[in-house]
């Protein structure tokens, strides 16, 4: 008999890594009730109160379940305006996580994006990325700059493991010809399926960018998930922390929203070793966020993040995390639902254009699936496609983001069951049109209606 039975050896068995200490009751409504709610919400799931949601896969951002140790550490909070001891613990944890010397807390990822956009760009500048996430994309546009996505040409190739990569040839060509202010690598590549970025690709992108003397930025809010995927793909025997540091060694600025891999509810930070950038960042942190030893965060937030960043380096946790995401991906795949494969770190992305053949992207086919998932099962997901990016959409996807340590394997089986019901009547999915939406962030604000 094989006596080795650590969590890692139990890869063949779907067992939870955590047990409950506090629970929250979920609401199961009737389909008729949900139809009413959808109408009132103008068919935009951002408008639905969470009490009407059964399984919330809208985002993995800030929706994480905290650990007993995070909760108890939170009680050590020090809310001093300057030099709080909670800041000291936050600082140590952030430095340990990303291996940069200077750390500026901010209230969440987009606060970092706003500060970096203001420091690094002028109107008309181009900002290249493997794929910008929607907040950064909109913020650069707001600053009258041009965010451009150049994902690897292999991003649709099922056998390609690092679909989060950037197109190195295009990068060099654009840097040599265009007015580029800086390059942002999003790790993992959220908008393109939560796909990992290869260390080699990152290193080369960094070298090319530095050849043209431009700033290289990592948006690393899911870099721990990238590290476990990288470790598995390459059979590396390095620790998660070592792998993360190998990535962060190749950037001028690292920033992250700690609402993701920080396993916290709020927060983020900007990190650098570049002494010339420090006064510029510090000044804007003070103007927009708060004194640089709290930067928009309470002491309680900083305590939660400090412990969360430590827990994010635990390999058992990361194995459990990506195994759960893969579990849902496998269930859907086995039912013949087209998904982005291999599944990435934080979410399963359904390829809505392949699933719903009778509708066009302009019918908001992804949103149509999002609406049906709610109507039939109370599941909240998000469209990543024509509604989010309009004509800039690279693909039409529906993201099922899995909050960290929050749902069980059984919950995910329920999600797959609802998909099986949708599949049976896929041709009933309706086209939608937008009645009203804000210009820069249409998916958050759009009011929609069925075309018939
Ligand atoms: N960068 C990436 C890659 C993100 O996924 C997000 C947020 C941000 C930056 C902005 O961070 O929310 O703290 O301001 N993504 C969330 C999501 C909202 O659902 O994927 P934030």
């Amino acid at each position: 008999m094989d006596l080795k039975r650590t969590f890692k050896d139990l890869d063949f068995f779907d067992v939870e890594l955590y047990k409950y200490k506090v629970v929250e009751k979920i609401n199961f409504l009737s389909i008729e009730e949900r139809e009413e709610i959808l109408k009132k919400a103008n068919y935009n799931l951002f408008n639905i109160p969470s009490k009407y949601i059964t399984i919330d896969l809208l985002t993995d951002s800030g929706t994480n379940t905290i650990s007993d140790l995070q909760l108890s550490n939170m009680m050590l909070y020090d809310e001093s305006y300057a030099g709080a001891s909670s800041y000291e613990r936050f600082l140590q944890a952030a430095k340990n996580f990303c291996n940069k010397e200077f750390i500026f807390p901010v209230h969440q990822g987009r606060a970092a994006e706003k500060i970096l956009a203001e420091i690094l760009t002028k109107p008309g500048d181009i900002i290249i990325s493997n794929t910008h996430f929607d907040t950064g994309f909109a913020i650069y546009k707001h600053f009258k700059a041009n965010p451009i996505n150049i994902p690897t040409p292999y991003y649709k190739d099922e056998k390609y493991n690092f679909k989060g990569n950037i197109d190195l040839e295009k990068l060099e060509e654009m840097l040599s010809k265009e007015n580029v202010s800086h390059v942002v690598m999003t790790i993992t590549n959220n908008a393109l399926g939560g796909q990992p970025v290869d260390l080699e690709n990152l290193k080369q992108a960094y070298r090319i960018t530095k050849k043209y003397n431009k700033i290289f930025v990592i948006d690393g809010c899911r870099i721990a998930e990238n590290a476990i995927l990288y470790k598995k793909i390459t059979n590396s025997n390095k620790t998660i922390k070592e792998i993360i540091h190998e990535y962060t060694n190749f950037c001028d600025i690292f920033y992250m929203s700690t609402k993701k891999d920080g396993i916290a509810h709020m927060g983020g930070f900007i990190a650098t070793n570049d002494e010339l950038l420090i006064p510029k960042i510090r000044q804007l942190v003070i103007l927009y966020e708060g004194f640089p030893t709290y930067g928009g965060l309470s002491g309680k937030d900083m305590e939660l993040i400090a412990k969360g960043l430590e827990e994010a380096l635990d390999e058992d946790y990361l194995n459990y995390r990506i195994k759960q995401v893969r579990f849902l991906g496998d269930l859907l795949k086995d039912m013949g639902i087209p998904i982005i494969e291999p599944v990435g770190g934080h979410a399963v992305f359904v390829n809505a254009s392949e699933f719903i053949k009778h509708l066009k992207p302009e019918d908001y086919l992804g949103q149509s699936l999002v609406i049906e998932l709610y109507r039939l099962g109370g599941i909240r997901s998000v469209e990543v496609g024509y509604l989010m990016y309009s004509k800039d959409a690279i693909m039409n996807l529906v993201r099922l983001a899995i909050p960290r340590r929050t749902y069980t394997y059984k919950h995910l089986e329920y999600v797959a069951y609802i998909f099986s019901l949708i599949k049976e009547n896929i041709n009933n999915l309706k086209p939608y049109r937008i009645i009203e939406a804000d210009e820069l962030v249409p998916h958050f604000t759009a009011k929609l209606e069925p075309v018939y």
Side-chain angles (χ1 to χ4, degrees):
M1 194 174 68
D2 179 7
L3 293 176
K4 255 195 327 160
R5 277 286 182 270
T6 65
F7 184 73
K8 205 165 142 216
D9 305 314
L10 285 166
D11 208 30
F12 60 94
F13 193 79
D14 301 320
V15 59
E16 310 292 342
L17 181 64
Y18 303 95
K19 61 179 180 177
Y20 307 114
K21 279 197 185 175
V22 176
V23 291
E24 177 185 336
K25 191 175 171 217
I26 293 176
N27 290 322
F28 287 79
L29 308 183
S30 69
I31 293 184
E32 292 74 23
E33 283 171 317
R34 286 196 213 107
E35 283 172 348
E36 269 314 298
I37 289 163
L38 274 168
K39 220 182 278 170
K40 269 199 204 134
N42 294 300
Y43 299 95
N44 184 335
L45 277 78
F46 283 99
N47 293 334
I48 299 183
S50 69
K51 63 184 177 214
Y52 300 142
I53 305 285
T54 302
I55 303 284
D56 204 345
L57 307 183
L58 180 70
T59 181
D60 62 321
S61 178
T63 52
N64 309 300
T65 298
I66 58 168
S67 69
D68 48 358
L69 294 177
Q70 277 177 295
L71 187 62
S72 58
N73 272 35
M74 205 167 89
M75 295 312 292
L76 301 174
Y77 66 90
D78 171 1
E79 301 293 356
S80 303
Y81 189 94
S85 42
S86 297
Y87 167 71
E88 305 272 315
R89 286 185 279 274
F90 170 88
L91 189 64
Q92 284 319 312
K95 277 187 185 180
N96 182 54
F97 186 83
C98 74
N99 200 27
K100 298 278 179 212
E101 230 5 73
F102 302 97
I103 308 277
F104 295 96
V106 290
H107 79 275
Q108 65 182 94
R110 70 199 71 182
E113 284 159 355
K114 180 180 169 200
I115 288 169
L116 294 178
E118 192 164 328
I119 291 172
L120 303 177
T121 62
K122 302 185 300 304
D125 281 354
I126 286 176
I127 305 99
I128 304 175
S129 179
N130 52 342
T131 315
H132 293 279
F133 191 62
D134 60 351
T135 48
F137 192 86
I139 284 170
Y140 289 125
K141 286 218 157 174
H142 181 66
F143 278 87
K144 309 279 180 248
N146 287 323
I148 304 276
N149 297 326
I150 52 164
T152 167
Y154 306 115
Y155 73 87
K156 281 188 177 167
D157 180 347
E158 270 178 29
K159 289 183 195 70
Y160 194 59
N161 275 318
F162 289 110
K163 294 211 279 273
N165 285 354
I166 195 165
D167 185 332
L168 295 168
E169 262 176 45
K170 266 199 200 153
L171 176 65
E172 173 111 43
E173 194 191 318
M174 288 190 75
L175 281 163
S176 66
K177 289 190 191 149
E178 311 271 1
N179 192 20
V180 176
S181 66
H182 64 288
V183 173
V184 180
M185 281 292 261
T186 311
I187 300 178
T188 58
N189 189 338
N190 182 5
L192 274 195
Q195 296 291 317
V197 172
D198 189 9
L199 181 59
E200 258 329 291
N201 183 262
L202 177 97
K203 280 184 187 171
Q204 290 194 39
Y206 175 78
R207 284 196 195 107
I208 296 168
T209 306
K210 295 323 279 181
K211 191 167 118 189
Y212 293 91
N213 245 329
K214 304 292 179 191
I215 300 257
F216 194 89
V217 178
I218 290 181
D219 169 355
C221 62
R222 297 184 183 87
I223 200 167
E225 288 166 4
N226 198 94
I228 189 76
L229 290 167
Y230 172 84
K231 184 171 166 122
K232 287 198 172 291
I233 295 165
T234 62
N235 262 328
S236 163
N237 46 31
K238 297 206 171 97
T239 65
I240 296 298
K241 181 166 134 181
E242 283 166 346
I243 295 171
I244 292 176
H245 291 185
E246 281 197 278
Y247 279 76
T248 57
N249 283 344
F250 293 91
C251 71
D252 302 299
I253 299 172
F254 174 86
Y255 78 92
M256 80 182 275
S257 159
T258 51
K259 300 173 77 173
K260 285 83 172 171
D261 278 354
I263 327 182
H265 300 139
M266 226 1 171
F269 62 87
I270 307 174
T272 186
N273 284 344
D274 185 335
E275 300 206 3
L276 291 177
L277 286 168
I278 291 164
K280 295 182 190 170
I281 300 171
R282 188 168 51 214
Q283 182 157 296
L284 290 188
V285 168
I286 294 174
L287 288 185
Y288 294 148
E289 295 292 292
F291 192 69
T293 62
Y294 75 88
L297 295 173
S298 70
K300 298 176 203 73
D301 289 320
M302 289 193 281
E303 295 289 357
L304 220 60
I305 296 164
K307 195 73 196 157
L309 286 172
E310 191 186 310
E311 291 178 358
L313 299 174
D314 170 12
E315 222 174 298
D316 275 351
Y317 153 69
L318 284 171
N319 269 318
Y320 170 62
R321 167 86 181 131
I322 59 158
K323 210 175 124 187
Q324 248 206 351
V325 180
R326 202 178 53 211
F327 175 81
L328 177 60
D330 287 346
L331 289 180
L332 298 186
K333 207 170 84 178
D334 290 348
M335 283 164 29
I337 313 281
I339 58 163
I340 303 280
E341 285 182 75
V343 291
H346 68 295
V348 176
F349 286 72
V350 176
N351 190 336
S353 340
E354 272 186 36
F355 188 32
I356 310 159
K357 299 270 203 234
H358 66 288
L359 298 179
K360 300 187 292 298
E362 306 86 79
D363 296 327
Y364 298 101
L365 60 89
Q367 186 63 11
S368 184
L369 176 57
V370 165
I371 291 164
E372 194 63 357
L373 276 165
Y374 179 72
R375 194 181 74 86
L376 287 185
I379 297 161
R380 179 154 65 175
S381 56
V382 71
E383 192 260 14
V384 181
Y386 204 75
L387 178 61
M388 190 181 269
Y389 291 112
S390 187
K391 290 190 178 59
D392 291 311
I394 302 175
M395 295 173 92
N396 276 289
L397 307 173
V398 167
R399 187 183 75 171
L400 308 164
I402 304 189
R404 293 166 186 78
R405 310 190 291 207
T406 300
Y407 291 115
T408 63
Y409 286 107
K410 272 284 166 213
H411 289 126
L412 301 179
E413 279 176 6
Y414 169 78
V415 173
Y417 163 68
I418 298 299
F419 263 96
S420 73
L421 301 182
I422 293 177
K423 190 169 181 244
E424 276 172 26
N425 292 303
I426 190 75
N427 288 327
N428 290 353
L429 260 65
K430 291 183 187 164
Y432 282 83
R433 64 176 156 234
I434 289 187
I435 320 169
E436 195 184 306
D438 290 356
E439 187 197 334
L440 283 177
V441 281
H443 55 298
F444 289 128
T445 55
K447 291 183 179 168
L448 298 110
E449 66 181 8
V451 174
Y452 49 80

